[in-house]
Amino acid sequence: MRISEILSDGRIHISCEVFPPKKFDGIAQATRVAQEIAGLQPSFMSVTYGASGSTPGHTLAVAKAVRDTGVTPLCHLTCVQSSRSHVQQVLREMQENGLENVLALRGDLPRDGCIQTDFTYASELISFIHSQGSFCVGAACYPEAHPESASRQADMDNLRRKVDAGVDFLTTQMFFDNGLLYNFLYRAQRAGIRVPVCAGIMPICDPKQVARAVKLSGSIMPPRFAAIADRFANAPAAMTQAGIAFATEQIVDLIANGVTNIHLYTMNKPWIARAIMENLSEILRVDT
Ligand code: FAD
């Protein structure tokens, strides 16, 4: 099913992200994780694409396993290190396997700055995907602006360009302060962006994740969360419980304020996704 159709029914949707293994011999384990998370019946499941486009086959293998559970898969696809013919080949394989949803991304720039690509920005990939067949195309957006953007306005102008290239839905970078998302949604509305936005929530259950998450997302860590990470740094079970509680509270606040699409960055930990889904069980039954 196309994700644009799933998101158009006005209900609350929780989707989940999984990542494929770096090495081929990890596919069986990643597939088991994906199947376990699919058992929680998320509205759809996204499968990330290895940095620098190194492992497209692994993304498709895990996406096919998701498809076989009956949950709709979403394949991430990056372009910054790719040629048109490579992207064409991945899209063809997706079509042959009934995978119609793509999250079109530029990908992070390589550390050595050496770019060999037919694409500079995700907007070019989005146009190219549409030229290759009938796909439902999503893209990334950044409540706190992409770290390379000169300003929040420049970031929003670029997002508008991306949406105009043919985006059916957006997924946000993780954020830890809902005020940032509400501000972003207001600015997106003013910029004329009308496609559904899935709010990206990352449950942080390991103190080591904190610094990494901040670095990756450029996210502001609220003092309230910093205190949790500090206090429970040496108590893993307590940190897991606190991280789940913090993410649950964020989601409850989002839903209470009318945000209906939530995307959980599961970090391939089914027990964390399950705990959050259980915490929300009654909330997800409430009509929007
Ligand atoms: P773009 O939309 O191309 O934007 C990149 C930068 O260029 C931004 O600063 C933007 O404002 C600017 N820009 C865009 N268009 C123009 C223009 N025409 N002129 C000037 N500036 C412009 N990475 C992976 O490797 N694999 C994944 O699976 C993956 N999944 C992700 C999922 C989500 C939901 C998110 C939020 C990120 C994900 N990433 C992934 C990381 C992503 O690849 C990086 O954040 C990357 O640096 C930017 O990708 P983008 O598609 O947003 O790029």
Side-chain angles (χ1 to χ4, degrees):
M1 192 169 182
R2 291 170 90 87
I3 288 171
S4 51
E5 280 175 53
I6 295 175
L7 299 179
S8 67
D9 66 5
R11 300 167 71 124
I12 299 167
H13 291 286
I14 309 279
S15 51
C16 292
E17 178 185 283
V18 292
F19 53 81
K22 287 202 176 90
K23 297 198 175 130
F24 185 76
D25 60 8
I27 286 186
Q29 166 65 9
T31 297
R32 274 194 294 277
V33 164
Q35 286 164 336
E36 208 177 327
I37 293 175
L40 303 170
Q41 294 291 305
S43 296
F44 64 89
M45 278 174 70
S46 70
V47 186
T48 64
Y49 204 70
S52 314
S54 47
T55 53
H58 300 188
T59 300
L60 296 194
V62 176
K64 281 189 255 178
V66 170
R67 177 204 61 194
D68 292 344
T69 66
V71 172
T72 297
L74 164 64
C75 299
H76 291 206
L77 175 59
T78 65
C79 62
V80 73
Q81 294 284 69
S82 278
S83 62
R84 276 194 167 68
S85 62
H86 176 75
V87 169
Q88 215 162 15
Q89 192 189 322
V90 175
L91 292 171
R92 199 172 311 126
E93 205 179 321
M94 284 182 61
Q95 282 171 319
E96 285 164 5
N97 287 285
L99 303 168
E100 56 188 339
N101 300 294
V102 198
L103 192 75
L105 300 145
R106 183 195 69 180
D108 283 323
L109 299 176
R111 284 201 191 106
D112 61 9
C114 179
I115 306 169
Q116 291 171 334
T117 180
D118 286 342
F119 305 93
T120 309
Y121 297 114
S123 52
E124 294 157 26
L125 175 64
I126 292 161
S127 303
F128 185 70
I129 292 171
H130 284 303
S131 75
Q132 298 301 303
S134 174
F135 289 96
C136 173
V137 182
C141 61
Y142 302 83
E144 295 164 80
H146 186 269
E148 290 165 34
S149 294
S151 65
R152 288 199 311 175
Q153 187 56 49
D155 195 65
M156 191 55 77
D157 292 344
N158 287 329
L159 181 60
R160 178 67 209 246
R161 208 167 284 144
K162 198 150 71 165
V163 171
D164 288 346
V167 163
D168 297 294
F169 65 96
L170 294 165
T171 303
T172 78
Q173 181 58 282
M174 66 186 89
F175 57 90
F176 302 96
D177 175 348
N178 288 356
L180 294 165
L181 182 84
Y182 300 138
N183 178 279
F184 168 79
L185 292 176
Y186 172 72
R187 289 184 294 110
Q189 189 78 14
R190 278 182 44 143
I193 293 172
R194 302 279 182 261
V195 295
V197 176
C198 301
I201 298 293
M202 162 88 88
I204 305 251
C205 295
D206 176 347
K208 286 194 276 283
Q209 259 178 289
V210 178
R212 191 158 181 274
V214 169
K215 184 163 176 263
L216 264 178
S217 65
S219 239
I220 296 168
M221 192 57 75
R224 205 161 64 84
F225 190 81
I228 292 173
D230 244 22
R231 177 70 182 85
F232 304 119
N234 298 316
M239 185 64 216
T240 300
Q241 204 168 40
I244 289 168
F246 190 90
T248 303
E249 203 182 302
Q250 251 194 302
I251 296 170
V252 171
D253 178 73
L254 290 170
I255 294 173
N257 283 288
V259 174
T260 53
N261 306 315
I262 313 287
H263 192 61
L264 267 187
Y265 293 108
T266 69
M267 301 303 290
N268 282 16
K269 292 182 175 141
W271 63 94
I272 291 176
R274 184 179 307 107
I276 292 176
M277 292 294 228
E278 282 172 5
N279 284 347
L280 297 171
S281 58
E282 291 303 322
I283 286 161
L284 298 181
R285 289 202 187 100
V286 172
D287 283 340
T288 52

